[in-house]
Amino acid sequence: MPSITNTALIGLIAAVGASAWKDQCEGFKANIPNVVMKSTYYPAGALVNLTSPSSTVNTKTLPAFCRLALTITTNVTSGNQALTEVWMPDAWNNRLLGFGNGGFSGGVVYSSLSYDGVLQGYSSFSTNTGHQSSPINGTWALNDVNAQKDFGYRAFQLSYQAAKTLTEQYYSKSISKKYYLGCSTAGRMGLVEAQRYPKDFDGIVIGSPANPVARLAAWNIYQGRQVLPVNGTRWISPATWSVIHKEVMKQCDGIDGLVDNVIDDPRQCNFRPEAIACGPNDDRSTCLTLGQIAAVRALYTDWYSSNGTFIFSRFEPGGEVAYATSYVSGPNIALGPEYWKNMIFSDPKWDYNTLTVDDVFRAIQSNPGEIDNNGYNYTSYFAGGGKLLHYVGLADQIISSGNSYNTYNSISAFTKENTNMDPYDYYRFFPVPGMNHCNGGDGANAMGGNNQRSAGQPPLKTDAAHDILAAMVDWVENDNAPTQLIATKYNNNNATQGVQFTRKLCPYPLKGVYQGGDQNSSDSFTCM
Ligand SMILES: *[C@@H]1O[C@H](CO)[C@@H](O)[C@H](O)[C@H]1NC(C)=O
Ligand SMILES: *[C@@H]1O[C@H](CO)[C@@H](O)[C@H](O)[C@H]1NC(C)=O
Ligand SMILES: *[C@@H]1O[C@H](CO)[C@@H](O)[C@H](O)[C@H]1NC(C)=O
Ligand SMILES: *[C@@H]1O[C@H](CO)[C@@H](O)[C@H](O)[C@H]1NC(C)=O
Ligand SMILES: *[C@@H]1O[C@H](CO)[C@@H](O)[C@H](O)[C@H]1NC(C)=O
Ligand SMILES: *[C@@H]1O[C@H](CO)[C@@H](O)[C@H](O)[C@H]1NC(C)=O
Ligand SMILES: *[C@@H]1O[C@H](CO)[C@@H](O)[C@H](O)[C@H]1NC(C)=O
Ligand SMILES: *[C@@H]1O[C@H](CO)[C@@H](O)[C@H](O)[C@H]1NC(C)=O
């Protein structure tokens, strides 16, 4: 008998295993009504080079997986369709993971499927939500109630059903647990699922949910109007935003006991822009004019209608570097106007300067496509044992972080008022000081949030202590509710350039308080 080394034997078994998976993938047929499917097998380390209107991957780092590209007819009468992909790794961890989208996109999120999905062993799915478009283009919704409904919830729900069935058929095994991970519009989609289809997921992790869209899309315009037009009397240039940032830090960085260029709780910062008002002889690039002071005051104040009804939260002090590059830095406030043009007024020529508070309250009522949740009732999800983890960057430049506090407080209050459940047993909220929208910023921001890995900001370790999705798995499967998370700030927000510092993120209302010692180590902080 020829002798065979152990290494060669292992290689042989792996090759046979891979070839079996390849055959299984390429020959995989499933008969799901209204779904057309195409399968492609990617061996470990194969080039995966895919582009959709919202995401691109170009990598050779993925493990072996079977890619199913589905076309789902969401309404047979109208013929509306969703493009959905299900990626199933050979080395499956027995779990299903669903992802959502950003803005008004419009495309399968390949970055999520790759880095948050198959690379972590999950059978993963993502949908274009029923249309192809960039995140800031809403023309697909014009006079198309089916497209609106698909974006609201239907395309994702049908994708979930298909992904669940296909995964179980492919592996001939039932799924052990089902998870969801998403930030921004994807955060809204996670909340919608928890409320509408409370049995679908065991654990839902959301960041900065874009919900309610009716309020958010109005606030985008309201904030923009505070500073526009470009070069007008209230205009704030990027250079002036830097001046404001310096003064914000001077006034508020130390409130949390540590001067570290991160404001831990910006709600405690009552910024006074008049402190840098221009005197008669001041260089205008180093101070604020009266118009700019008025604009800053409005931007940093919660928005109420004239009869005292709350509409949306303010920009939080500390995020100025990002505010300078966001929609208030120019007329690029497309996300807001697209909603009103295409879903509310059905008028591509509608002028955002005409938006009124009455329009906002009417849009909240009409809720096209049912894209916004109905109040704060999540009791069915919690009663079924479902867990919800929620994070938000406190320097979020797209959706005020105050919206996340409102969501958390309102859901918790509803649960307490209407059930015997303690919402803290099901729902925890982790504010991330200094993080921008979903990732980036000056604070410790890498903690396993959606699409952080693909942005070069992976968690320091893929464990329950550092990675919010791993923490969710530990909560669901081992009943270890997360009491803290360690987040990492990389040099230049780039993991290949090394760790700058780590911090503790704490479940609200706790905060990570400095106890003395090395400021760069999370060990020097305690949640209290
Ligand atoms: C990836 O795909 C794009 C577009 O299809 C193509 O231009 C590019 O050459 C591909 N990259 C590699 C490394 O094959
Ligand atoms: C499907 O589309 C048709 C035609 O637009 C519409 O009348 C019907 O209400 C839609 N059905 C559902 C379930 O959305
Ligand atoms: C939005 O998409 C539509 C349809 O694809 C296209 O005609 C339009 O130019 C796009 N608008 C912008 C601002 O990109
Ligand atoms: C605003 O002013 C800057 C500097 O003077 C100028 O370069 C720019 O073109 C102006 N932008 C507009 C939209 O007027
Ligand atoms: C305040 O005004 C809005 C918009 O006009 C209206 O919808 C709302 O009912 C009013 N609220 C109260 C308390 O009067
Ligand atoms: C919350 O929603 C559930 C499911 O729809 C419903 O059974 C329950 O009555 C609602 N709770 C309240 C207080 O409205
Ligand atoms: C991260 O840093 C490395 C090494 O300096 C560089 O090659 C890479 O392009 C950076 N990545 C990003 C996303 O900037
Ligand atoms: C913390 O990190 C900064 C650089 O980010 C460095 O200048 C400082 O020396 C570090 N402090 C300690 C105690 O290591």
Side-chain angles (χ1 to χ4, degrees):
M1 249 177 81
S3 75
I4 182 161
T5 63
N6 267 350
T7 325
L9 189 60
I10 290 165
L12 187 66
I13 291 169
V16 169
S19 126
W21 283 116
K22 183 175 191 292
D23 293 347
Q24 161 78 349
C25 178
E26 288 171 354
F28 186 53
K29 296 268 180 296
N31 198 3
I32 303 181
N34 305 316
V35 175
V36 175
M37 182 177 100
K38 180 175 173 287
S39 63
T40 313
Y41 185 74
Y42 289 81
L47 173 67
V48 180
N49 181 17
L50 299 165
T51 295
S52 80
S54 52
S55 180
T56 293
V57 281
N58 191 340
T59 184
K60 289 183 175 175
T61 61
L62 301 183
F65 68 98
C66 180
R67 172 188 175 210
L68 303 181
L70 317 180
T71 304
I72 301 176
T73 299
T74 60
N75 180 331
V76 178
T77 313
S78 67
N80 283 65
Q81 290 183 330
L83 303 180
T84 297
E85 299 205 12
V86 186
W87 290 16
M88 302 179 294
D90 292 6
W92 184 40
N93 66 12
N94 291 324
R95 303 179 180 107
L96 181 70
L97 180 58
F99 300 107
N101 305 68
F104 286 132
S105 84
V108 167
V109 188
Y110 289 123
S111 55
S112 297
L113 290 170
S114 301
Y115 298 99
D116 295 332
V118 293
L119 200 56
Q120 314 302 322
Y122 293 91
S123 174
S124 308
F125 70 97
S126 166
T127 176
N128 74 347
T129 71
H131 65 271
Q132 295 286 94
S133 81
S134 85
I136 57 166
N137 190 329
T139 53
W140 52 268
L142 186 65
N143 299 320
D144 190 341
V145 292
N146 280 297
Q148 294 173 11
K149 196 182 218 181
D150 283 337
F151 178 66
Y153 64 93
R154 185 170 58 190
F156 183 85
Q157 167 59 201
L158 293 171
S159 301
Y160 162 83
Q161 295 293 348
K164 178 174 176 288
T165 303
L166 292 168
T167 296
E168 301 199 311
Q169 286 183 9
Y170 183 76
Y171 294 108
S172 301
K173 197 171 171 189
S174 54
I175 294 165
S176 65
K177 295 288 175 193
K178 293 169 288 175
Y179 296 93
Y180 179 89
L181 177 65
C183 190
S184 199
T185 282
R188 173 188 68 80
M189 293 164 69
L191 286 177
V192 166
E193 266 288 314
Q195 189 176 68
R196 244 175 210 278
Y197 303 101
K199 290 187 167 52
D200 284 2
F201 292 98
D202 300 288
I204 293 178
V205 181
I206 56 164
S208 198
N211 179 276
V213 178
R215 291 171 186 270
L216 172 60
W219 181 76
N220 290 148
I221 292 170
Y222 172 81
Q223 295 286 82
R225 279 198 208 155
Q226 302 309 323
V227 293
L228 294 171
V230 175
N231 295 344
T233 56
R234 292 166 68 112
W235 171 246
I236 301 172
S237 70
T240 303
W241 276 113
S242 302
V243 173
I244 297 170
H245 182 62
K246 229 171 118 189
E247 180 63 21
V248 165
M249 286 299 153
K250 194 173 143 200
Q251 291 183 23
C252 296
D253 188 1
I255 294 175
D256 53 40
L258 207 53
V259 177
D260 59 351
N261 200 32
V262 177
I263 300 175
D264 286 356
D265 188 353
R267 295 169 313 151
Q268 294 178 325
C269 174
N270 184 16
F271 178 53
R272 288 169 288 100
E274 61 276 14
I276 46 170
C278 293
N281 302 317
D282 283 344
D283 173 355
R284 289 289 158 97
S285 65
T286 63
C287 59
L288 298 180
T289 63
L290 290 178
Q292 291 170 328
I293 288 172
V296 169
R297 281 214 185 99
L299 290 170
Y300 286 16
T301 303
D302 286 349
W303 182 24
Y304 286 85
S305 71
S306 54
N307 67 13
T309 305
F310 174 78
I311 304 176
F312 212 75
S313 310
R314 65 175 192 166
F315 259 171
E316 292 297 346
E320 293 74 26
V321 175
Y323 305 158
T325 60
S326 76
Y327 50 91
V328 297
S329 68
N332 178 24
I333 48 175
L335 200 68
E338 289 292 282
Y339 170 79
W340 300 96
K341 285 179 186 175
N342 299 297
M343 293 197 206
I344 300 295
F345 295 115
S346 302
D347 175 7
K349 295 204 171 65
W350 177 80
D351 174 2
Y352 68 79
N353 285 301
T354 66
L355 182 74
T356 67
V357 165
D358 282 341
D359 293 335
V360 181
F361 287 97
R362 271 199 299 273
I364 292 170
Q365 291 303 318
S366 68
N367 193 16
E370 296 175 83
I371 62 180
D372 284 331
N373 275 353
N374 181 13
Y376 296 101
N377 182 354
Y378 290 74
T379 60
S380 296
Y381 181 65
F382 299 148
K387 303 292 193 289
L388 187 56
L389 279 176
H390 182 159
Y391 60 92
V392 72
L394 296 184
D396 192 312
Q397 74 278 31
I398 310 280
I399 305 171
S400 165
S401 59
N403 191 48
S404 279
Y405 285 88
N406 289 343
T407 301
Y408 180 78
N409 288 331
S410 302
I411 292 176
S412 297
F414 186 97
T415 307
K416 277 185 195 151
E417 278 159 24
N418 294 287
T419 72
N420 294 325
M421 292 182 281
D422 180 352
Y424 198 67
D425 292 341
Y426 303 93
Y427 181 17
R428 294 193 184 188
F429 171 46
F430 286 83
V432 186
M435 184 170 84
N436 295 144
H437 188 60
C438 301
N439 67 289
D442 294 334
N445 50 49
M447 30 62 79
N450 187 211
N451 289 325
Q452 293 188 348
R453 282 183 168 85
S454 58
Q457 300 151 30
L460 198 55
K461 293 180 188 159
T462 299
D463 63 17
H466 299 82
D467 178 348
I468 194 163
L469 180 59
M472 173 57 92
V473 170
D474 200 31
W475 195 7
V476 166
E477 300 182 15
N478 306 317
D479 211 20
N480 290 327
T483 54
Q484 62 175 49
L485 274 172
I486 297 170
T488 304
K489 165 71 178 174
Y490 295 107
N491 289 305
N492 300 313
N493 288 326
N494 183 332
T496 65
Q497 297 183 20
V499 174
Q500 193 179 346
F501 55 85
T502 56
R503 285 280 190 277
K504 277 188 185 130
L505 307 179
C506 304
Y508 172 79
L510 304 183
K511 294 179 202 172
V513 179
Y514 179 57
Q515 305 292 306
D518 182 359
Q519 295 186 10
N520 294 338
S521 166
S522 61
D523 292 343
S524 307
F525 296 78
T526 299
C527 289
M528 53 194 289

